[in-house]
Amino acid sequence: MIQSHDDIQRFFDGIEIAMWILLIVCLAQLIYIKFGIGKELVNFVANLFEERGGTAISTWYAQGSYAVTTGRINGLKQETGFLAAQLLIVFIPYLLTRLKRSYSCERKKIEYKIWIPLILIIIILFQSGSTTAMLGLPIVLFLTIIIVVKSWKKVFAVVGGTILVLIISMIFSKSFSSTITRVVFDKFTFSNTSFAQRMGSAVTMMKIFVKSFGLGVGYNNGGHWSYILAPNFMRYNPEFNSYWPLSGDGFFAVLSVVTGWLAQFGIIFFGTVTYGIYR
């Protein structure tokens, strides 16, 4: 229980320690993936602390760890997407809050304790290549620019300049272009099963919401309608067929939070709660 300033400081110290432990683990995985160095260390840490899924996805760890087997960074989570969510939800807000505080005061030196982990997290998110990371990364970069560059004209200039540099780099560098295409653009096509599932879930939940506009279908009661209303681009990919039972009352993962709330609880409940929070 936090009862004093010292308790708050210890809480922040705990966040710092946890963040650096995770970053060191991720960097070790990145070094192995890029240079083939440290396989034994990566597997040793993974065997002790890595969160792993059920037997259905045991092949992800066949060579000792997720990172070694799949060639993707996962930290200590069971897969890359969960690592991205952990970084974006837990550590990025903490770092951006500290960054905003430092830039709201007169600063005489660069806050390396903020910038180093922030830059490392941005690199890890990009290298992870997960859909979650690719959706969250632009937001992180934009918020960072807003904090550092206080003038909106300068913000737009920086964002525009960055986009221009990326476009020029993609035009004149085939390797850079292929990297951006593989890590970013290929993530948002229906041939990517992960994106197809998420987009399909959002579309399905919206269809259910339209059919049950007022009160929704109730918590966790979307299985029947979800199976019927799932779009075709979602039905014919391995992730849907392998992990979601193809039955009228089967499990259907809600991968879109807002549309999931609307579908299950309807506009009356959702609207009332939203109004109560923001009034």
Side-chain angles (χ1 to χ4, degrees), residues 13-125:
D13 290 342
I15 294 177
E16 289 275 346
I17 293 170
M19 178 179 66
W20 278 108
I21 290 174
L22 181 59
L23 288 177
I24 291 170
V25 171
C26 290
L27 289 175
Q29 293 175 350
L30 181 60
I31 290 171
Y32 167 75
I33 292 168
K34 294 298 182 182
F35 306 106
I37 301 172
K39 177 180 178 180
E40 293 76 12
L41 175 62
V42 171
N43 282 343
F44 176 75
V45 173
N47 287 327
L48 289 176
F49 303 111
E50 186 175 60
E51 176 186 324
R52 298 187 175 182
T55 55
I57 53 176
S58 59
T59 54
W60 289 354
Y61 320 104
Q63 297 181 36
S65 66
Y66 181 91
V68 172
T69 305
T70 66
R72 302 178 70 191
I73 305 171
N74 72 316
L76 298 174
K77 306 302 289 183
Q78 71 179 39
E79 62 172 302
T80 302
F82 293 125
L83 168 66
Q86 182 182 25
L87 293 173
L88 290 167
I89 295 171
V90 179
F91 298 115
I92 285 294
Y94 168 71
L95 290 172
L96 290 181
T97 301
R98 288 189 60 190
L99 186 66
K100 182 174 177 58
R101 182 181 178 186
S102 70
Y103 272 81
S104 64
C105 308
E106 289 190 12
R107 60 194 188 284
K108 297 181 180 179
K109 59 181 181 179
I110 298 174
E111 294 283 354
Y112 291 104
K113 290 184 178 180
I114 302 173
W115 280 108
I116 291 176
L118 182 59
I119 292 171
L120 288 176
I121 288 176
I122 289 172
I123 292 172
I124 290 168
L125 286 172

Side-chain angles (χ1 to χ4, degrees), residues 102-196:
S102 70
Y103 272 81
S104 64
C105 308
E106 289 190 12
R107 60 194 188 284
K108 297 181 180 179
K109 59 181 181 179
I110 298 174
E111 294 283 354
Y112 291 104
K113 290 184 178 180
I114 302 173
W115 280 108
I116 291 176
L118 182 59
I119 292 171
L120 288 176
I121 288 176
I122 289 172
I123 292 172
I124 290 168
L125 286 172
F126 182 78
Q127 291 292 336
S128 73
S130 74
T131 306
T132 303
M134 292 304 104
L135 289 172
L137 197 52
I139 299 174
V140 173
L141 293 173
F142 185 68
L143 290 175
T144 303
I145 293 171
I146 289 176
I147 292 171
V148 176
V149 183
K150 297 181 179 180
S151 168
W152 278 104
K153 289 183 179 179
K154 292 181 180 179
V155 168
F156 289 125
V158 171
V159 172
T162 302
I163 294 173
L164 182 61
V165 169
L166 288 174
I167 293 173
I168 293 174
S169 300
M170 290 179 66
I171 293 173
F172 291 99
S173 173
K174 290 184 178 180
S175 60
F176 183 77
S177 177
S178 62
T179 299
I180 293 295
T181 301
R182 173 178 55 83
V183 175
V184 181
F185 297 125
D186 287 351
K187 289 293 175 183
F188 303 102
T189 63
F190 292 141
S191 60
N192 177 3
T193 58
S194 179
F195 176 73

